[in-house]
């Protein structure tokens, strides 16, 4: 199993770079960041420094979207980094939650994501692409260039499109039941489209908090550090409920039930521990969606995720123990999973 580290690009950028270097020393192979340029610093600028200060780490956004930048700019940026550092980038893409809404725009449609994925992948790999009637190619991109595009999804139509078109699936939660449900949907769509389902890589991304023991006090602190995640996921779930209803055969209640007490969301606290808009998230959801507890408990859940077909676990590292979690994974957890 591969392991990734997910960070926000808060200033100073030097700290983001330092944590990514630490992750590589601890056997992480992917470095991801949020991409919401009103809330945080521009990630692609920081990627160049992460790549320059690491040897093998693959970097990219979790996730970018088709509306923040024009598609040829996004593709050219990835291709430039790959030309400089050797095919070490990856494009995670989605509808655009905070990036679009904070700027007063609506998240992108699935049709727009589909079109953008094709264009960005093609241009980033040195191939031709149609920009709405104008066919272009980046002539300086080498024939050996590659740009995998992984899609973030929750809803039935997005899961289907991921299986049909994306190189990988990003699932932003670590609930075992929902992981099994959604991986089956993605792989089934791939098969129905005539693809080899193993060609669609599976990445589960969630907060991880390693405790010294499983005492009530330790677990309570870990839950408070990770409760923000249920609120972040709740933004996407609220969109699904608005589209499909509270009790729909299209979306499992195991995903939607917990947002009934949700009253709103302020993006000023997006993705941060202590977010006051996430108090509605119950302990049960924190435990299901995240990895908290002792190293042994992390290993147990990660092995279960791997059995469900997960190729990568990406650690959301937004809490008060960033270095400690990276080190615990490198010293205890990753070796146990990959031994």
């Amino acid at each position: 199993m591969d392991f990734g580290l997910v960070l926000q690009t808060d200033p100073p950028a030097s700290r983001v770079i330092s944590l990514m270097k630490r992750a590589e020393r601890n056997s992480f192979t992917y470095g991801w960041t949020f991409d919401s340029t009103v809330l945080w610093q521009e990630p692609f600028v920081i990627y160049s420094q992460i790549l320059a200060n690491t040897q093998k780490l693959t970097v990219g956004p979790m996730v970018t979207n088709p509306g923040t930048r024009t598609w040829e700019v996004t593709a050219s940026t990835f291709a430039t980094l790959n030309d400089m550092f050797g095919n070490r980038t990856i494009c995670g893409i989605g509808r655009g939650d905070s990036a679009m809404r904070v700027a007063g725009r609506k998240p992108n449609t699935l049709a727009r994501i589909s079109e953008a994925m094709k264009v960005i992948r093609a241009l980033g790999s040195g191939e031709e692409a149609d920009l709405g009637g104008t066919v272009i190619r980046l002539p300086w991109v080498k024939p050996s260039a590659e740009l995998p595009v992984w899609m973030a999804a929750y809803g039935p139509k997005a899961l289907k499109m991921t299986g049909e078109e994306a190189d990988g699936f990003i699932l932003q939660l670590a609930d075992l039941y929902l992981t099994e449900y959604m991986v089956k949907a993605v792989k089934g769509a791939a098969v129905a489209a005539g693809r080899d389902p193993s060609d669609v890589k599976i990445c589960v991304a969630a907060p991880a908090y390693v405790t010294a023991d499983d005492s009530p006090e330790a677990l309570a602190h870990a839950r408070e550090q990770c409760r923000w995640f249920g609120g972040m996921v709740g933004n996407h779930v609220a969109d699904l409920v608005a589209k499909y209803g509270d009790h729909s055969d299209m979306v499992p209640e195991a995903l939607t039930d917990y947002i009934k007490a949700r009253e709103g969301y302020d993006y000023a606290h997006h993705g941060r521990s202590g977010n006051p808009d996430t108090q509605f998230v119950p302990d049960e959801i924190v435990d299901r969606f995240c990895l908290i507890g002792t190293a042994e408990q992390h290993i147990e859940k990660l092995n279960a995720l791997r059995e469900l077909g997960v190729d990568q676990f990406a650690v959301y590292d937004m809490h008060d123990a960033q270095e400690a979690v990276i080190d615990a994974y490198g010293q205890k957890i990753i070796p146990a999973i990959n031994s």
Side-chain angles (χ1 to χ4, degrees), residues 90-93 117 120-121 147-151 165-169:
I90 185 168
C91 177
I93 196 166
M117 284 200 299
I120 292 168
R121 182 195 290 116
L147 179 60
V149 180
W150 292 12
M151 182 175 166
E165 302 181 24
D167 301 306
F169 167 42

Side-chain angles (χ1 to χ4, degrees), residues 189-208:
V191 171
R195 301 181 68 191
D196 182 342
S198 66
D199 288 343
V200 185
K201 300 301 180 184
I202 307 296
C203 174
V204 161

Side-chain angles (χ1 to χ4, degrees), residues 222-240:
R223 289 186 183 109
E224 289 310 311
Q225 289 296 307
C226 298
R227 198 175 304 277
W228 63 267
F229 184 66
M232 187 184 82
V233 173
N235 295 329
H236 305 285
V237 175
D239 288 344
L240 293 175

Side-chain angles (χ1 to χ4, degrees), residues 304-315:
L305 288 167
R306 183 169 57 180
E307 288 297 313
L308 296 175
V310 174
D311 300 295
Q312 179 185 157
F313 178 64
V315 175

Side-chain angles (χ1 to χ4, degrees), residues 151 153 155-156 158-164 166 168-170 179-192 195 197 200-202:
M151 182 175 166
L159 294 169
K160 181 174 182 290
M161 195 175 90
T162 300
E164 293 172 343
F169 167 42
I170 297 172
T179 297
E180 182 177 19
Y181 178 96
M182 294 185 185
V183 168
K184 283 183 176 178
V186 169
K187 297 283 190 178
V191 171
R195 301 181 68 191
V200 185
K201 300 301 180 184
I202 307 296

Side-chain angles (χ1 to χ4, degrees), residues 35 44 64-80 91 93-95 100 108-125 127 129-134 136-138 140-141 147 149 165:
D35 179 18
F44 286 94
T64 194
N65 71 86
T68 302
R69 307 171 185 82
T70 60
W71 304 344
E72 69 273 20
V73 169
T74 298
S76 180
T77 305
F78 278 115
T80 300
C91 177
I93 196 166
R95 295 176 64 228
M100 297 298 285
N108 295 271
T109 64
L110 291 179
R112 185 168 170 82
I113 296 174
S114 174
E115 189 178 356
M117 284 200 299
K118 294 180 178 70
V119 169
I120 292 168
R121 182 195 290 116
L123 292 178
S125 302
E127 301 170 2
D130 188 341
L131 291 177
T134 301
I136 67 165
R137 184 176 67 86
L138 304 179
W140 48 268
V141 177
L147 179 60
V149 180
E165 302 181 24

